[in-house]
Amino acid sequence: MELKSYIKRFGGAIAAPIEATAAATQTRGVRPQRQQPTRNLVQAGPSGRHVPTATGPRQPGQVTPNAASPRSVSYSPKQLSAFYGFPTNATGVGTKIAVIELGGGYVQADLDQYFTAMGLTVKPVIFHGIDGAKNDPGDPDGPDAEVMLDLCIAGAMAPGTELHCYMAPNTDAGFLHAIEQAITDGMTAISISWGAPEALWSSSSITAYNAAFQRAASAGITVTAAAGDSGSSDGLPGKNVDFPASSPLVLGCGGTSLPVLNTMSEIVWNDGGGIATGGGISALFSIPTYQSKVNVPGGKFRGVPDVAGNADPSTGWNVIIDGSRYIIGGTSAVSPMWAALAACLTQVLGKNVGFLNSALYSLTGWSRDVLSGNNGTYSARAGYDCCTGMGVPVGTKLLTALQSAVPAPTPTPTPTPAPTTPDPVPTPPAPTAPTTHTIVVTGTGTVITVDGRSVV
């Protein structure tokens, strides 16, 4: 089977041919350009899809690429499960993972073939058509790639889970309805690989989406979102971050490059030319409490991302799309990876890990710090940074940290005191008839008789 390399670029752009592990192959331009918002609609696209350059060219010289890595490097989800320390005794049995999609589709037979080749048995995907959307595969250079990437990674890294695909129209309302339905259906984790720069969202949409994310957190559902593939500019002039990854109620997922499958090689993903992991400082959200002590640049607004994983197309993921094998990168791969990890942790813990952000910032020893590289404005550093967040996971260590963590006490309402029974009030005696007395005073008052009896 031909192995093709699929790299996220500006809509319609074609990259130069590269070498792959099979015969010489070509990179492919992948996303139709996203239209400008219409009224309150955001035409969201997978992280890596960009607004037309006419709306605002990238700042020249903003992104410095990493040193070139071998173009033939790619990995299967099973290899990366091991590399990121997923618990070997967990497959996500008893959990449900939702992937949110806004176009394209999947072929179940392709997924079956893909999983079988890795020795895995994964249940058929459960499809949900939202607002009339259908499973409509057929264009590997379009949104099919996003759908299959999400399903291949989530299914292979948590093969025991129940996979759900929520397909909606690529509109602001459709996107929101898909998320809301996944929450209503009680997913364990929801993976979102679609988004747009914060500046392209209306305030009413931001409010509506955050209300949904709050509902997810309250229901114990983990929501993951790709941080974008356009570096610190997010495809617009200046510095920008992607929503919904920038929501404080979502686990924002940044990207690394992994030239060699060892911990020393992992660096911030940056291919140059504006193609790099998203990340930066939100213009909308104040710094959440869980980030208050990790030295987020500026210290006043939400930092993005929270975590990271392999995203460089040059060190990408082997997946199947419309019957052919592809190598895909982008932070779109990191979101389903973290959703799969949440499912595996949930299985072992016996309860949903739910809103992970607070735990990840308060616990120690669960991650590997990424210390080299940049995404344009921001550079890797010890501890938190706006390229890879708190780092990449070591799943077994994260499991241990969560098992050892003292759960926050569940607030209970102050009991209402039982009403006291008042002491009985004595019944007053019934009034008696007045008594009449005859008083006689004689002389100068020296003799006084009452009722004929002398008292003086």
Side-chain angles (χ1 to χ4, degrees):
M1 181 177 293
E2 184 182 9
L3 179 66
K4 303 176 182 179
S5 182
Y6 175 101
I7 297 184
K8 297 182 175 201
R9 298 288 184 187
F10 290 99
I14 303 297
I18 66 171
E19 294 181 358
T21 53
T25 61
Q26 63 178 356
T27 59
R28 296 195 170 205
V30 298
R31 304 290 187 243
Q33 294 191 2
R34 183 178 54 219
Q35 301 173 0
Q36 286 298 297
T38 303
R39 297 188 298 275
N40 291 331
L41 299 182
V42 173
Q43 297 297 327
S47 71
R49 229 168 81 180
H50 304 265
V51 294
T53 55
T55 65
R58 300 187 312 281
Q59 297 297 314
Q62 188 172 16
V63 176
T64 303
N66 294 319
S69 57
R71 289 285 183 177
S72 60
V73 176
S74 62
Y75 309 105
S76 72
K78 284 188 71 174
Q79 287 176 296
L80 292 172
S81 292
F83 179 72
Y84 288 122
F86 276 45
T88 56
N89 62 335
T91 62
V93 168
T95 68
K96 297 188 287 187
I97 296 177
V99 298
I100 306 297
E101 308 297 347
L102 304 179
Y106 64 91
V107 177
Q108 185 62 53
D110 288 349
L111 290 169
D112 294 340
Q113 176 188 2
Y114 178 76
F115 296 134
T116 299
M118 285 186 284
L120 302 173
T121 300
V122 180
K123 298 174 185 176
V125 176
I126 298 173
F127 180 79
H128 305 260
I130 305 298
D131 295 347
K134 300 183 183 302
N135 180 24
D136 187 25
D139 181 8
D141 287 338
D144 286 8
E146 188 58 65
V147 179
M148 292 297 287
L149 174 68
D150 293 342
L151 293 173
C152 285
I153 291 176
M157 300 186 92
T161 195
E162 188 176 275
L163 285 175
H164 292 252
C165 177
Y166 288 80
M167 184 69 69
N170 191 352
T171 64
D172 191 46
F175 192 0
L176 177 61
H177 293 164
I179 295 168
E180 290 176 329
Q181 188 60 54
I183 295 169
T184 297
D185 292 344
M187 296 294 113
T188 304
I190 299 173
S191 174
I192 302 172
S193 293
W194 300 71
E198 286 181 334
L200 299 184
W201 292 83
S202 69
S203 59
S204 59
S205 290
I206 293 287
T207 299
Y209 277 66
N210 270 340
F213 297 141
Q214 180 63 67
R215 189 159 68 92
S218 298
I221 298 171
T222 305
V223 180
T224 64
D229 301 344
S230 301
S232 57
S233 76
D234 205 26
L236 297 180
K239 295 178 287 187
N240 305 277
V241 293
D242 226 53
F243 182 85
S246 67
S247 169
L249 297 163
V250 167
L251 187 68
C253 300
T256 66
S257 180
L258 190 60
V260 181
L261 203 60
N262 66 53
T263 59
M264 298 302 293
S265 77
E266 196 162 18
I267 56 178
V268 175
W269 167 42
N270 185 336
D271 279 347
I275 307 300
T277 180
I281 305 300
S282 172
L284 301 179
F285 302 107
S286 298
I287 190 167
T289 301
Y290 57 77
Q291 285 189 327
S292 62
K293 298 180 180 179
V294 296
N295 197 24
V296 172
K300 294 183 179 180
F301 292 93
R302 157 88 160 130
V304 183
D306 301 297
V307 294
N310 180 46
D312 187 350
S314 302
T315 67
W317 300 68
N318 292 323
V319 299
I320 191 169
I321 308 168
D322 297 335
S324 296
R325 293 276 182 165
Y326 286 82
I327 302 168
I328 304 190
T331 57
S332 292
V334 188
S335 181
M337 181 189 95
W338 271 91
L341 180 55
C344 291
L345 295 172
T346 291
Q347 177 194 343
V348 179
L349 292 171
K351 60 181 181 180
N352 282 18
V353 293
F355 179 63
L356 268 173
N357 298 39
S358 297
L360 296 182
Y361 283 91
S362 63
L363 299 174
T364 59
W366 62 265
S367 66
R368 283 196 298 267
D369 209 351
V370 178
L371 300 173
S372 178
N374 71 85
N375 70 346
T377 300
Y378 303 97
S379 296
R381 64 182 184 183
Y384 181 84
D385 60 63
C386 290
C387 300
T388 59
M390 295 296 286
V392 299
V394 182
T396 52
K397 292 184 177 180
L398 178 53
L399 174 61
T400 299
L402 291 171
Q403 288 172 324
S404 302
V406 177
T410 303
T412 54
T414 303
T416 303
T420 56
T421 303
D423 293 331
V425 178
T427 303
T432 58
T435 303
T436 302
H437 299 279
T438 302
I439 301 174
V440 178
V441 179
T442 60
T444 58
T446 57
V447 178
I448 301 173
T449 61
V450 177
D451 298 334
R453 297 178 62 182
S454 175
V455 295
V456 176

